[in-house]
Amino acid sequence: MQLIILTNDDGTFEFEQQERITSRHSSSKFMFRQNDPQKTKWDLIIIFLAIYNSFQIPFEIAFDPEDMKLPAFYVVNSLIDLVFLLDIIVNFRTTFYDIETGDEVFDSKRTGKVYLKGRFTIDLLSTIPFDNIALIFTQSSSPILQLFSLLKLVRISRLGRIIERMNVTQDIKNALKLFKLIFVIIIYIHCLACLWFVIVTMQEEWKPPLDYVDPDADFYNSSLANKYFITLY
């Protein structure tokens, strides 16, 4: 930011703050401004897809539902991976504010270097479909290969960074941070439920406490929804 002094006709002075862009590459094409409304919409899409992955991936690995083996579901997951790959490209071309001067930097080389030194490695590891790549080379599916998809859960770490960069009021940011905290707790419970189901189905000896309502109920042959909600409980 810079301070502009304006002289009025009556001889008085006015002070006005203007955003200052000192980068000599300020006219660079295909750069996304950090506070651009369109960039905010793109970030909201990334948040939605990250939330979806956080629920879908543990559930698919633990319960292995038949519906998630359909080709259409594979196409949807591949498109989601493509969106996150595009987000990496967008991050390389997104401006940032210099900490020392407060100026918005439009230099694509500087933005690229800052991103490479920051979140690039984490974003890349969470975007590469290691499970699909392993499936192509081995030509077989196994629970071990599915564990590679857990790396995609790292995508949820983008929420905090996106919230900080969103062009909204501080009150909305605080509300989003509270939502993030609640969401992390829900995801933690969800992952514990999925992990517990994997453990108890190894030997199928565990009997849920809720079975006292119906002693003849067979937890292991019940519906998918029943299995999930009992393990969640």
Side-chain angles (χ1 to χ4, degrees):
M1 303 295 290
Q2 63 179 347
L3 190 63
I4 305 297
I5 303 177
L6 303 177
T7 304
N8 297 326
D9 295 335
D10 57 1
T12 59
F13 297 94
E14 290 184 1
F15 298 91
E16 180 181 336
Q17 284 187 332
Q18 291 185 356
E19 188 173 11
R20 181 178 59 182
I21 302 173
T22 59
S23 173
R24 59 188 179 92
H25 295 276
S26 60
S27 60
S28 298
K29 296 182 178 179
F30 308 113
M31 292 296 293
F32 302 94
R33 298 196 65 175
Q34 180 174 311
N35 294 328
D36 187 274
Q38 298 301 323
K39 180 63 168 59
T40 301
K41 293 178 181 179
W42 173 260
D43 290 339
L44 291 175
I45 294 175
I46 295 300
I47 289 177
F48 174 78
L49 294 179
I51 292 174
Y52 166 77
N53 276 152
S54 299
F55 284 100
Q56 171 257 326
I57 292 174
F59 185 84
E60 180 182 5
I61 293 177
F63 294 90
D64 196 23
E66 292 296 327
D67 292 340
M68 290 187 175
K69 297 180 181 179
L70 298 176
F73 193 80
Y74 174 80
V75 172
V76 171
N77 282 339
S78 298
L79 290 176
I80 292 175
D81 292 336
L82 178 60
V83 171
F84 279 99
L85 178 61
L86 291 176
D87 185 58
I88 291 179
I89 299 175
V90 170
N91 285 327
F92 271 111
R93 309 292 299 182
T94 300
T95 64
F96 69 95
Y97 287 94
D98 190 290
I99 299 178
E100 296 181 356
T101 63
D103 299 327
E104 188 172 14
V105 178
F106 281 77
D107 187 349
S108 58
K109 292 183 179 180
R110 287 189 62 187
T111 58
K113 288 180 181 179
V114 170
Y115 183 51
L116 282 173
K117 294 178 181 179
R119 303 278 307 181
F120 171 73
T121 303
I122 296 176
D123 290 347
L124 182 64
L125 291 176
S126 64
T127 300
I128 298 177
F130 290 104
D131 51 338
N132 293 336
I133 295 175
L135 180 60
I136 292 174
F137 282 100
T138 60
Q139 297 297 321
S140 62
S141 180
S142 68
I144 303 249
L145 293 179
Q146 287 183 323
L147 293 178
F148 283 104
S149 61
L150 289 176
L151 291 172
K152 297 178 182 179
L153 293 180
V154 182
R155 293 171 176 173
I156 203 62
S157 63
R158 299 187 185 190
L159 290 181
R161 180 183 56 185
I162 291 176
I163 291 174
E164 287 297 331
R165 290 184 174 182
M166 291 183 71
N167 187 22
V168 294
T169 64
Q170 189 61 41
D171 290 339
I172 296 179
K173 284 187 178 182
N174 292 336
L176 289 174
K177 289 179 181 179
L178 178 61
F179 163 77
K180 177 191 173 185
L181 177 61
I182 297 174
F183 171 73
V184 169
I185 295 175
I186 293 175
I187 287 297
Y188 174 74
I189 297 173
H190 172 70
C191 291
L192 280 183
C194 294
L195 177 62
W196 180 247
F197 181 79
V198 171
I199 294 174
V200 300
T201 51
M202 288 181 178
Q203 297 181 347
E204 297 188 359
E205 295 180 353
W206 176 74
K207 292 184 178 181
L210 296 180
D211 273 5
Y212 73 92
V213 178
D214 184 5
D216 298 327
D218 187 358
F219 166 75
Y220 300 100
N221 293 319
S222 61
S223 66
L224 187 63
N226 185 64
K227 292 177 182 178
Y228 176 73
F229 285 113
I230 288 181
T231 52
L232 187 65
Y233 174 81

